[in-house]
Amino acid sequence: MAAGQELAADVDGQWLFRHGDLVLGPVSGAQIVEKLKTGELTPESLLALAGERDFHAMKDVEPFKVHVALAEARARVDAAVLVEREKNRKRMMVLGGVAGGLALVLGTGGLLLARNAAVHGWFGEDEFEGIEMEAPVIRVAQARQDEEELFEYPTQGTVKPKQGETGTAGGGKPSTGSGKPTAVASVDRKPPRPSGNVVTDPDGMQVAQQFDQSAINRIVAGNKSTLFRCFKEEAARSPGLAAKIPLEFVIGNDGRVSKLWVDNPQFKKGPLFDCLFTELQKWPFRAYEGERATVGLSFTLGKRG
């Protein structure tokens, strides 16, 4: 068979391929494509139809050219994702304390530029100007008397138990607040597990932790702009709005956000609350075992006098 005819051979034929000095096969064309997807073979791998002696690089074999192009496109996307993840990791470092160092090196103007990149996820983004987000705070969810009941979120750092309840809520401090319950969802009680990483909660108690804080940080960094849309819509409903809006949500063991509290009396419920909760439930957190994770975020809208 002439070289031109071989290059035009059908991908469904039987093929040989080289690994170093070894000639392996025959395998089907579909198997060759699968090995290309997994990285076992590359566009430079040498192929030949079974029974033929001449080998050619896969990228030059006509039936495989489209598959090579797809593999190269996937490789470019994967590389871009890795670059973006590295950028997000560095931005979180900025939020974790490097901002102070940048202020000394770059001056006030450089600090503002770095903070804009860390909050919005890119430089020069004007769509959400006037909305700032502080670094997320991730901790083990606090134990409560009855996970099935709705309860108040502490607006001043304390919570008043519902009638008939005892103990503490929120951060474990005695409850003194009042008002209507605002939590909108609940999950089944998960008993503490002895396995996992042991961490110390804000009350000095050691608890078992199996959630991955770095993975949660990556999800928050990659999806926070969906919450900016909610705040932008609220700003349109309330011209001149300037407020600090802390919120806290619980990630269930199935990886879905199961509870949300907005620590601002004006937004404990309503369109902003509903928008935030809807968007948070779309965030792709991983399922995990052990103590549930609570994530605290704080947003500032507009300029407060």
Side-chain angles (χ1 to χ4, degrees), residues 34-55:
E34 186 62 27
K35 291 178 183 296
L36 176 64
K37 290 180 180 178
T38 61
E40 184 178 348
L41 295 179
T42 71
E44 302 297 331
S45 297
L46 298 176
L47 305 180
L49 277 171
E52 298 296 325
R53 300 178 60 182
D54 295 332
F55 283 79

Side-chain angles (χ1 to χ4, degrees), residues 17-24 55:
F17 61 95
R18 285 187 178 275
H19 257 313
D21 295 331
L22 297 177
V23 176
L24 303 176
F55 283 79

Side-chain angles (χ1 to χ4, degrees), residues 26-101:
V27 297
S28 68
Q31 289 175 293
I32 293 290
V33 172
E34 186 62 27
K35 291 178 183 296
L36 176 64
K37 290 180 180 178
T38 61
E40 184 178 348
L41 295 179
T42 71
E44 302 297 331
S45 297
L46 298 176
L47 305 180
L49 277 171
E52 298 296 325
R53 300 178 60 182
D54 295 332
F55 283 79
H56 300 273
M58 190 187 309
K59 66 180 182 179
D60 296 326
V61 179
E62 190 65 35
F64 293 103
K65 285 184 176 180
V66 64
H67 299 290
V68 168
L70 289 173
E72 291 175 338
R74 282 194 298 269
R76 288 192 295 270
V77 170
D78 290 343
V81 168
L82 290 176
V83 170
E84 185 62 26
R85 286 178 178 174
E86 180 63 17
K87 288 181 179 178
N88 287 336
R89 185 186 68 82
K90 292 180 179 179
R91 289 164 186 158
M92 295 311 300
M93 289 177 62
V94 171
L95 287 174
V98 178

Side-chain angles (χ1 to χ4, degrees), residues 1-302:
M1 179 184 295
Q5 292 174 319
E6 180 178 331
L7 293 178
D10 189 85
V11 71
D12 290 333
Q14 295 295 306
W15 297 83
L16 303 175
F17 61 95
R18 285 187 178 275
H19 257 313
D21 295 331
L22 297 177
V23 176
L24 303 176
V27 297
S28 68
Q31 289 175 293
I32 293 290
V33 172
E34 186 62 27
K35 291 178 183 296
L36 176 64
K37 290 180 180 178
T38 61
E40 184 178 348
L41 295 179
T42 71
E44 302 297 331
S45 297
L46 298 176
L47 305 180
L49 277 171
E52 298 296 325
R53 300 178 60 182
D54 295 332
F55 283 79
H56 300 273
M58 190 187 309
K59 66 180 182 179
D60 296 326
V61 179
E62 190 65 35
F64 293 103
K65 285 184 176 180
V66 64
H67 299 290
V68 168
L70 289 173
E72 291 175 338
R74 282 194 298 269
R76 288 192 295 270
V77 170
D78 290 343
V81 168
L82 290 176
V83 170
E84 185 62 26
R85 286 178 178 174
E86 180 63 17
K87 288 181 179 178
N88 287 336
R89 185 186 68 82
K90 292 180 179 179
R91 289 164 186 158
M92 295 311 300
M93 289 177 62
V94 171
L95 287 174
V98 178
L102 287 176
L104 297 175
V105 176
L106 303 177
T108 303
L111 174 59
L112 292 175
L113 182 61
R115 184 179 62 180
N116 182 67
V119 171
H120 299 302
W122 50 83
F123 285 94
E125 178 58 49
D126 296 327
E127 181 181 0
F128 301 115
E129 184 178 0
I131 302 174
E132 298 180 359
M133 187 189 88
E134 296 179 8
V137 177
I138 304 170
R139 60 178 176 82
V140 173
Q142 299 297 298
R144 295 178 172 90
Q145 288 291 322
D146 188 350
E147 289 286 358
E148 295 299 326
E149 288 212 20
L150 303 177
F151 53 90
E152 298 172 356
Y153 181 74
T155 59
Q156 300 298 330
T158 59
V159 169
K160 180 178 180 181
K162 293 173 65 67
Q163 184 173 0
E165 293 181 348
T166 61
T168 61
K173 298 181 180 179
S175 302
T176 59
S178 62
K180 296 182 180 180
T182 58
V184 298
S186 63
V187 296
D188 294 336
R189 179 189 294 271
K190 295 286 185 180
R193 300 173 183 267
S195 61
N197 298 326
V198 176
V199 297
T200 302
D201 71 7
D203 296 324
M205 300 293 290
Q206 286 192 337
V207 292
Q209 170 199 327
Q210 292 188 353
F211 55 82
D212 185 340
Q213 291 197 13
S214 61
I216 292 175
N217 271 327
R218 288 194 295 272
I219 295 298
V220 172
N223 293 271
K224 62 181 179 289
S225 62
T226 63
L227 303 186
F228 292 165
R229 179 183 62 80
C230 298
F231 291 117
K232 183 180 179 182
E233 292 174 356
E234 184 61 36
R237 287 189 293 267
S238 307
L241 174 65
K244 184 170 184 177
I245 306 179
L247 59 89
E248 187 174 67
F249 60 88
V250 175
I251 305 171
N253 291 113
D254 60 357
R256 286 176 55 83
V257 171
S258 58
K259 293 183 180 180
L260 169 66
W261 302 272
V262 177
D263 192 7
N264 184 307
Q266 185 178 354
F267 304 110
K268 282 181 173 293
K269 57 184 177 180
L272 176 60
F273 182 97
D274 295 339
C275 180
L276 292 172
F277 192 61
T278 297
E279 293 300 331
L280 286 169
Q281 288 191 306
K282 299 176 184 178
W283 287 14
F285 295 105
R286 298 176 184 173
Y288 62 98
E289 296 182 353
E291 296 289 344
R292 286 168 296 172
T294 296
V295 181
L297 299 175
S298 183
F299 295 85
T300 301
L301 278 66

